[in-house]
Amino acid sequence: MSPGLEFDEAMARGVEAIYRTPDVAGQRSVTLAAMALRPGERVLDIGIGPGLLAYDMALIVGEKGRVEGVDKSDPMIAVAENRCRDLAQCAFQNADATELPFDDASFDAIVSTQVYEYVADMSRALAEVARVLSPGGRVFVLDTDWDTAIWHTADVPRMRRVLDAWEGHLHDPRLPRTLGAKLEAAGLRVTRRDVIPLLNSSLHPNCYSHGMLAAIAGYVAGPGGLPQEEADAWLAEQRALGESGEYFFSINRYLFGATRV
Ligand SMILES: C[S@@+](CC[C@H](N)C(=O)[O-])C[C@H]1O[C@@H](n2cnc3c(N)ncnc32)[C@H](O)[C@@H]1O
């Protein structure tokens, strides 16, 4: 496995731009609808990233509610804090998903989107969720299965090499297929499983895969260990497909909801 992604300042800005696209905003809307938050609720966001979901949740729970967030990247927390600076119900801090700095039964709802695929010790991470969730509380987890990536190319072996190298930045690029059983093993009862497909049939700056092209090319030619020329050629082909109107990218996210019994 290759080294993980460094969520430094440049990466924090990159993630923020990609996560503001309508593609990812749509995924957030589905997540928010599933959470069905109510004013006054206490919510925890694990791996808060740029704070886009935290902002939306804070508006729903209101001033009498609370949105706590943890992330292990200070640059990410800085972006989230800036976004939510006028919302007194928000508080973010540096902590790992496997060691949550909260008392037992502190939250009515917990959410973690696109984070657990980076986490090695999932049984510990989910035990922490079960510990800090109130009895009857809800947890929502969204992750990607990278086997669902369909990316048009004339060079299938090169696309496979690029995606294999890219998967090295994650601990589990196929987490959704085992997530339900992992949640149940942690004492949480799974109440829903949803698939959220993402489709880009043209390449433009306001779509998810546009920003991902540069991120993937940069990673695979660096920590991913592929030759620079291979990453450049892969990127050039995708841009050419975008210009000729032949671009196609699709991937599935999976959203799980569970309750603490
Ligand atoms: C792809 S971003 C997703 C951000 C956010 N949840 C969202 O969906 O907008 C992944 C985030 O998870 C954080 N992260 C990764 N591993 C973590 C861990 N073990 N504990 C806490 N945060 C972690 C990263 O720093 C990064 O901010």
Side-chain angles (χ1 to χ4, degrees):
M1 173 174 288
S2 307
L5 270 186
E6 177 76 16
F7 284 96
D8 56 13
E9 273 180 40
M11 181 60 71
R13 280 194 300 276
V15 170
E16 182 181 32
I18 293 171
Y19 280 40
R20 288 180 69 182
T21 60
D23 292 328
V24 187
Q27 164 188 307
R28 266 194 306 283
S29 299
V30 175
T31 306
L32 272 175
M35 292 183 76
L37 293 173
R38 294 177 291 272
E41 285 197 305
R42 304 158 299 162
V43 191
L44 170 63
D45 187 344
I46 299 171
I48 194 153
L52 291 152
L53 182 60
Y55 184 91
D56 291 344
M57 294 193 298
L59 295 184
I60 298 171
V61 300
E63 289 176 3
K64 294 196 172 137
R66 189 90 185 133
V67 178
E68 300 274 354
V70 296
D71 201 291
K72 65 174 194 180
S73 157
D74 284 331
M76 278 297 191
I77 293 170
V79 173
E81 281 179 340
N82 185 47
R83 167 158 290 106
C84 301
R85 63 186 178 278
D86 296 329
L87 298 170
Q89 62 270 45
C90 292
F92 308 144
Q93 59 181 302
N94 192 316
D96 196 278
T98 57
E99 213 163 332
L100 298 174
F102 304 105
D103 293 337
D104 297 359
S106 294
F107 297 100
D108 304 303
I110 297 179
V111 65
S112 190
T113 61
Q114 302 279 132
V115 176
Y116 284 141
E117 54 204 43
Y118 294 89
V119 174
D121 192 345
M122 273 300 288
S123 56
R124 186 160 167 193
L126 293 179
E128 280 292 84
V129 165
R131 181 182 67 77
V132 302
L133 198 57
S134 297
R138 300 101 71 203
V139 56
F140 298 86
V141 178
L142 179 144
D143 281 286
T144 304
D145 188 321
W146 277 90
D147 268 355
T148 65
I150 300 171
W151 221 329
H152 179 44
T153 180
D155 190 338
V156 173
R158 182 179 63 205
M159 178 63 81
R160 192 63 260 158
R161 288 193 296 279
V162 167
L163 290 178
D164 285 348
W166 170 242
E167 285 182 4
H169 87 286
L170 296 169
H171 181 77
D172 187 351
R174 293 166 188 76
L175 177 59
R177 60 188 72 178
T178 59
L179 189 54
K182 287 182 165 94
L183 287 160
E184 294 274 350
L188 299 157
R189 181 180 299 147
V190 175
T191 52
R192 63 185 292 163
R193 297 170 179 83
D194 298 285
V195 58
I196 306 174
L198 209 148
L199 171 63
N200 297 155
S201 56
S202 64
L203 185 61
H204 56 85
N206 208 20
C207 74
Y208 168 78
S209 60
H210 184 277
M212 292 301 288
L213 283 175
I216 292 174
Y219 178 84
V220 300
L226 287 192
Q228 184 70 52
E229 312 81 67
E230 175 128 287
D232 290 346
W234 174 80
L235 186 56
E237 186 203 24
Q238 291 307 314
R239 288 183 173 152
L241 288 170
E243 280 172 24
S244 65
E246 296 170 281
Y247 186 80
F248 187 97
F249 167 84
S250 174
I251 201 162
N252 286 347
R253 321 288 208 192
Y254 296 87
L255 175 67
F256 286 73
T259 55
R260 189 187 145 187
V261 278

